[in-house]
């Protein structure tokens, strides 16, 4: 039986094992997908020794960037982005890929319109890098927003009406608002949002975060992270099977 899995920590509310095991059952694929919570990334080589039959792994918080030194090779996209959410294990060793980026690209593209020329990206972690790479490829000017104002980002309290008029696409790549912290929302000035804005939240649980709800109440177009999640999972499946 083929073995696939997910590394990260903690993995208590994770989606991928359920998604892949249902897919394997439905499509009569003789494989299993398991969650491998690693409290410390230093346990990764031991995991590989324990499960030499592993053919593919997904990587989630907090290891998408720190996993890179453990990999023999990186695909060009993962290298450009600097984050890996998918690993293929085969005769060539361990190769890192980024399917978050393609999952995001395929799901935001249909929503982008001519008036969307500039984007605010909330958060500066691994997902933020993939989102920025794709939006810049799509021709949008990007500005990062962070709690600290580091890494060339602006702080939330610097956002004003003029900036929200200019940056009409706003992507939440922070965990603020994710279950069980669903009463939180990134601290942007929601009162300046209009029907001309597009709000995209990478969070998929709850389906409507407070961020999206506040945007919808101002008339903005909104999109949650569920389709991206399916896209990155199917993208990983294609990578593992060299499709
Ligand atoms: P990460 O590397 O931990 O980065 C998250 C960033 O958010 C941090 O760098 C931080 O930036 C900011 N942040 C953290 N806690 C915050 C808080 N309480 N309030 C405001 N900002 C906060 O995580 P990630 O891997 O990029 O993932 C981020 C989110 O995207 C997670 O919710 C994850 O589930 C989701 N995601 C979804 C998909 C999908 O397919 N739908 C794919 C990937 C990720 P600053 O310190 O600069 O503020």
């Amino acid at each position: 039986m083929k073995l696939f899995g997910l590394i990260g920590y903690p993995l208590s509310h994770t989606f991928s094992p359920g998604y892949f095991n249902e897919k394997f059952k439905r499509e009569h694929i003789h494989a299993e997908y398991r969650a491998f919570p690693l409290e410390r990334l230093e346990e990764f080589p031991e995991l590989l020794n324990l499960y030499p039959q592993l053919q593919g792994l997904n990587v989630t918080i907090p290891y998408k960037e720190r996993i890179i030194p453990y990999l023999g090779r990186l695909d060009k996209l993962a290298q450009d982005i600097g984050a890996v959410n998918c690993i293929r294990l085969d005769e060539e060793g361990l190769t890192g890929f980024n399917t978050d980026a393609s999952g995001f690209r395929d799901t935001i593209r249909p929503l982008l319109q001519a008036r969307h020329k500039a984007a605010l990206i909330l958060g500066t972690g691994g997902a933020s890098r993939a989102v920025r790479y794709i939006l810049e490829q799509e021709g949008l000017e990007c500005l990062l927003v962070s709690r600290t104002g580091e890494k060339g980002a602006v702080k939330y309290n610097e956002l004003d009406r003029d900036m929200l008029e200019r940056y009409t696409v706003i992507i939440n790549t922070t965990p603020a608002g994710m279950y069980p912290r669903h009463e939180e929302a990134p601290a942007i000035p929601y009162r300046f949002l209009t029907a001309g804005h597009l709000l995209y939240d990478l969070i998929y649980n709850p389906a409507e975060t407070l961020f999206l709800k506040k945007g919808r109440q101002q008339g903005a177009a909104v999109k949650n992270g569920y389709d991206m999640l399916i896209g990155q999972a199917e993208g990983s499946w294609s990578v593992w099977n060299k499709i």
Side-chain angles (χ1 to χ4, degrees):
M1 184 182 291
K2 293 178 177 176
L3 182 64
F4 301 91
L6 170 70
I7 60 164
Y9 196 83
L11 293 179
S12 39
H13 297 290
T14 193
F15 156 92
S16 299
Y19 178 80
F20 277 107
N21 288 319
E22 274 168 36
K23 174 185 171 72
F24 296 158
K25 210 168 149 189
R26 197 174 59 239
E27 298 179 14
H28 307 290
I29 298 166
H30 195 54
E32 187 189 356
Y33 189 105
R34 291 172 61 171
F36 298 110
L38 295 183
E39 203 169 347
R40 295 176 329 112
L41 190 55
E42 290 70 24
E43 297 162 27
F44 181 61
E46 203 180 311
L47 178 84
L48 299 180
N49 285 335
L50 263 173
Y51 298 99
Q53 71 275 42
L54 266 172
Q55 298 195 357
L57 283 167
N58 286 121
V59 184
T60 189
I61 299 177
Y63 300 136
K64 287 185 186 180
E65 290 152 288
R66 281 163 52 200
I67 193 70
I68 290 174
Y70 291 87
L71 308 176
R73 298 188 314 155
L74 280 188
D75 147 85
K76 165 103 172 59
L77 184 61
Q79 181 150 22
D80 287 348
I81 293 170
V84 162
N85 75 303
C86 171
I87 302 171
R88 186 168 66 210
L89 300 93
D90 59 14
E91 58 288 345
E92 293 173 336
L94 275 68
T95 310
F97 296 82
N98 192 306
T99 65
D100 281 341
S102 48
F104 177 68
R105 181 196 59 216
D106 296 347
T107 52
I108 190 140
R109 231 181 219 169
L111 305 175
L112 290 175
Q113 301 189 8
R115 65 170 180 271
H116 297 133
K117 294 189 167 55
L120 291 179
I121 302 172
L122 315 180
T124 59
S128 165
R129 282 170 177 259
V131 162
R132 180 181 188 170
Y133 181 87
I134 293 299
L135 289 177
E136 287 184 346
Q137 262 196 345
E138 296 294 315
L140 276 82
E141 173 200 338
C142 293
L143 182 64
L144 299 185
V145 186
S146 141
R147 292 164 303 173
T148 60
E150 286 166 15
K151 306 185 198 172
V154 298
K155 288 190 191 175
Y156 288 89
N157 62 11
E158 291 176 57
L159 297 175
D160 59 17
R161 182 190 290 268
D162 285 351
M163 288 169 87
L164 264 70
E165 265 175 25
R166 177 183 176 88
Y167 294 91
T168 51
V169 175
I170 308 180
I171 318 288
N172 179 33
T173 78
T174 82
M178 183 164 68
Y179 181 83
R181 285 159 46 193
H182 49 284
E183 282 165 17
E184 286 177 30
I188 62 166
Y190 291 91
R191 63 188 182 283
F192 300 139
L193 295 177
T194 65
H197 284 86
L198 166 63
L199 266 60
Y200 189 125
D201 200 329
L202 265 55
I203 294 172
Y204 51 90
N205 181 17
E208 186 179 67
T209 55
L210 191 53
F211 168 71
L212 294 186
K213 184 178 176 190
K214 284 167 169 266
R216 182 173 55 77
Q217 286 170 342
Q218 294 288 122
V222 298
K223 171 92 180 154
N224 73 21
Y226 186 75
D227 290 343
M228 172 176 169
L229 189 68
I230 304 292
Q232 66 76 27
E234 288 300 325
S236 297
W237 184 242
S238 298
V239 163
W240 298 330
N241 290 285
K242 302 188 180 175
I243 297 170

